[in-house]
Structure formats: structure tokens, C-alpha cells
Amino acid sequence: MDYYAIGQQIRKFRKANSFSQEELAEKVGISTTHMSHIETGNTKLSLAVLVKLSLVLEVSTDDILFEHPLINKSTLIDKIITNLEKCSSKELIIILDIINATQISLSKHL
């Protein structure tokens, strides 16, 4: 495993969320020094810390472990709105039903 690359992913998501290292470390329950060492790849992170980081940063563990282009939440919302604006009223009602059903299913299974 490339711990430096993982650390850089964490750093990228931390900055996208406008967290300082201190703020993220506090939210995750680790020391600022440990957070710094994780970001620089100087230490391995535990599974528990990885999961906490993904929850706080609102990304999947895969997003942390594997490099993907960074698409922040507001960019995604803008893309969704652009697509929704092309829909008819009837299509929007169907899409809303799908979103509601998906949210219910996600809350049951996550």
C-alpha cells in the first residue's frame, strides 16, 4: 500500500472540506501529530481511523484508498440541477419518487 498516496487523498478531502489538520484530527479523535503523519505517509492508519475519516470527510473509504478526481458536493448538486432543468414536470415527479425511495433504502442499509 502506498501510504503517501493515501495521505495525499486525505489531505485533498480535508482541504475540500476546509478543515485544518487540527480540526480534522479532533473530529476523528486522534492527535494533530498523528494526523500530520498520516497525511505525509509516515505512519500507517488503522481501519478504525480510516472509517472515521471517511465519515467525517463524507467520502467512501475507496475514495481515500484509491485516487479519484475530486468532485465536491456543490459541483455534484450543480450537475444534478443542470440535468433536472431539462426534465418535464412528470419526469421530475418520477425522479423525486426514485430519490425518496433511494434515501429510505440507504437509511435502512447504511
Side-chain angles (χ1 to χ4, degrees):
M1 277 209 144
D2 185 349
Y3 289 101
Y4 177 78
I6 292 169
Q8 292 306 294
Q9 285 292 99
I10 293 167
R11 181 177 184 265
K12 177 174 70 175
F13 291 121
R14 173 178 62 78
K15 288 184 172 249
N17 282 280
S18 301
F19 292 140
S20 66
Q21 278 188 345
E22 294 82 9
E23 290 169 325
L24 182 56
E26 183 179 326
K27 289 176 183 293
V28 173
I30 60 176
S31 71
T32 304
T33 302
H34 190 190
M35 186 74 249
S36 174
H37 287 173
I38 289 171
E39 285 190 10
T40 57
N42 291 328
T43 190
K44 298 176 182 179
L45 68 159
S46 69
L47 181 57
V49 170
L50 174 64
V51 170
K52 286 179 187 176
L53 283 166
S54 73
L55 291 171
V56 171
L57 296 171
E58 297 180 359
V59 297
S60 72
T61 53
D62 279 357
D63 289 333
I64 293 173
L65 295 174
F66 307 105
E67 188 171 352
H68 301 289
L70 179 62
I71 302 176
N72 65 32
K73 190 174 181 177
S74 64
T75 301
L76 289 173
I77 290 170
D78 289 343
K79 288 181 178 191
I80 291 168
I81 289 170
T82 299
N83 284 304
L84 291 176
E85 288 172 341
K86 299 173 188 174
C87 296
S88 69
S89 294
K90 189 172 186 174
E91 290 170 332
L92 288 171
I93 291 168
I94 294 167
I95 291 169
L96 180 59
D97 286 346
I98 292 168
I99 291 170
N100 287 334
T102 303
Q103 286 177 322
I104 290 168
S105 182
L106 287 170
S107 68
K108 286 181 184 177
H109 299 287
L110 293 180

